[in-house]
Amino acid sequence: MGKKTKKVLKYLMDNPGTKTSTVAAATGVSKRLVRYAKESMRGIGDSAKILFLDIETSPCEVYVWGLYKQQIPIGNLIKDWSLLSYAAMWLGDDEIISERVTTTEAHDRTDYNMLLGLWTLLNTADIVVAHNGVRFDVRKINARFVEFGIIPPAPYQVVDTLKVVQRNFYFTSHKLEHVAKILDTEIKDKTTFDLWKRCVTGDESALIEMEKYNRQDVVVLKEVYLAIRPWIKSHANLGLYTDHSEPVCANCGSAKLIQEDKLYITPANKYVTYRCEDCGAISRSRYSSLTKEDRKNLIISVAR
């Protein structure tokens, strides 16, 4: 994302609802660029925009008395963490979008200039896919946004591949690297903590290597997601983002559905199920297959 676009986004965040001509005059850019920035903030299209996202952060620097079971007071913090880079991809697009901090920004732990591009991606996305995204990536990003006074992006749903793996499979490790190896997808690049140490000193070659590592991670994430997608229960319903006049798969949006003989049974109802021929996921109808009389006569056990 260019400096002019970032400048316009910053102005729009600080002055929401301002007319295009006013923004263009105040920022010294064309009205076309302002309109582009507004579309980036709003998000367009009638199909789900699925964003694969991964971030890399710098470690904290602290004073400690030892290496075992340390309880570190906040006063011992020398330098707090910050973002080093991010990488993202849209489903259906092979382009990898990424940014990294400069050498000075890495040393000083200042990542503001990178946040507006990241904000635009999140603001446009309907669904964000990340490994450990709920506990780590999203909360870390939000922390940087609020610290710099950046307004929240438009709502998006999160598919956390770590949670999916932990819920459905008992692998020896649920780390992305191991899961990718098990599923025989793209493999993560190898690195050590030394790379992070070099980055926080402002080593340009280390920051370039970190961005490359980050970019490969998001490719791995995309392939792992596609491999486990049929197993994702309560996936964000892609049927809500399509204009199909026929039922579509909730997980992938395909209209190639086959009705299964087996019903989906809840404590109080029965539903017809469908198998997606494209991704293999199981979906169910929203409407009961029981008659009104059947439902009237049905009783269920007590909850507790």
Side-chain angles (χ1 to χ4, degrees):
M1 175 176 291
K3 291 182 179 179
K4 289 184 178 179
T5 305
K6 288 182 177 180
K7 182 180 180 181
V8 174
L9 285 170
K10 177 64 168 58
Y11 187 91
L12 289 170
M13 290 177 189
D14 293 339
N15 304 274
T18 307
K19 291 182 178 180
T20 297
S21 57
T22 304
V23 177
T27 57
V29 303
S30 67
K31 293 180 182 179
R32 181 190 60 78
L33 184 57
V34 175
R35 286 192 290 269
Y36 165 77
K38 284 186 173 182
E39 289 298 318
S40 298
M41 293 179 70
R42 182 164 55 248
I44 55 176
D46 59 0
S47 60
K49 305 176 194 66
I50 301 179
L51 182 72
F52 300 93
L53 179 65
D54 184 63
I55 63 172
E56 299 298 338
T57 63
S58 60
C60 298
E61 292 183 25
V62 297
Y63 292 112
V64 294
W65 295 108
L67 299 178
Y68 183 68
K69 288 187 177 181
Q70 295 295 300
Q71 188 71 27
I72 304 169
I74 191 65
N76 287 23
L77 181 65
I78 303 170
K79 285 186 177 181
D80 210 340
W81 65 273
S82 65
L83 294 181
L84 290 172
S85 66
Y86 73 82
M89 296 181 72
W90 294 105
L91 183 62
D93 190 343
D94 291 334
E95 179 188 1
I96 303 175
I97 306 161
S98 66
E99 284 189 84
R100 66 176 185 272
V101 294
T102 65
T103 56
T104 302
E105 290 169 339
H107 179 271
D108 296 341
R109 310 296 175 95
T110 54
D111 49 20
Y112 175 76
N113 290 326
M114 197 170 62
L115 294 179
L116 291 180
L118 182 52
W119 184 92
T120 301
L121 290 171
L122 291 174
N123 190 66
T124 305
D126 297 310
I127 300 163
V128 174
V129 181
H131 200 72
N132 200 23
V134 172
R135 293 188 61 186
F136 185 80
D137 299 71
V138 171
R139 294 169 67 198
K140 285 283 190 180
I141 292 168
N142 287 346
R144 302 311 283 169
F145 286 165
V146 73
E147 181 174 343
F148 287 107
I150 298 175
I151 59 176
Y156 55 85
Q157 299 186 66
V158 179
V159 174
D160 190 330
T161 50
L162 175 61
K163 287 183 175 291
V164 175
V165 170
Q166 290 174 329
R167 177 178 180 178
N168 291 282
F169 317 113
Y170 202 130
F171 297 138
T172 302
S173 170
H174 295 144
K175 290 184 176 181
L176 186 62
E177 179 180 12
H178 185 73
V179 175
K181 182 179 180 181
I182 292 293
L183 299 179
D184 195 26
T185 66
E186 284 275 351
I187 302 300
K188 282 167 60 71
D189 287 343
K190 297 290 185 181
T191 190
T192 66
F193 186 67
D194 181 66
L195 178 60
W196 276 261
K197 290 195 295 183
R198 290 165 51 214
C199 282
V200 297
T201 64
D203 185 327
E204 176 68 16
S205 63
L207 291 169
I208 293 172
E209 185 179 346
M210 179 63 75
E211 185 178 12
K212 177 177 176 291
Y213 170 78
N214 199 174
R215 288 169 65 89
Q216 177 64 10
D217 267 7
V218 84
V219 174
V220 175
L221 171 66
K222 180 179 179 179
E223 293 204 7
V224 166
Y225 164 80
L226 293 175
I228 66 175
R229 181 165 60 179
W231 293 87
I232 303 177
K233 298 177 177 66
S234 299
H235 190 289
N237 191 351
L238 300 194
L240 296 172
Y241 300 93
T242 64
D243 291 331
H244 288 292
S245 58
E246 55 188 333
V248 299
C249 174
N251 285 36
C252 76
S254 170
K256 297 179 181 178
L257 299 177
I258 300 175
Q259 183 173 329
E260 296 278 281
D261 294 331
K262 191 174 183 179
L263 297 175
Y264 179 79
I265 309 296
T266 72
N269 235 317
K270 293 181 179 180
Y271 301 91
V272 173
T273 59
Y274 300 89
R275 172 81 68 181
C276 177
E277 289 188 284
D278 281 335
C279 76
I282 291 286
S283 302
R284 71 165 178 87
S285 170
R286 291 179 54 242
Y287 301 102
S288 172
S289 62
L290 294 177
T291 65
K292 185 176 181 180
E293 191 65 24
D294 288 336
R295 293 196 299 272
K296 180 179 177 181
N297 293 328
L298 184 69
I299 64 172
I300 62 175
S301 61
V302 295
R304 39 170 128 34

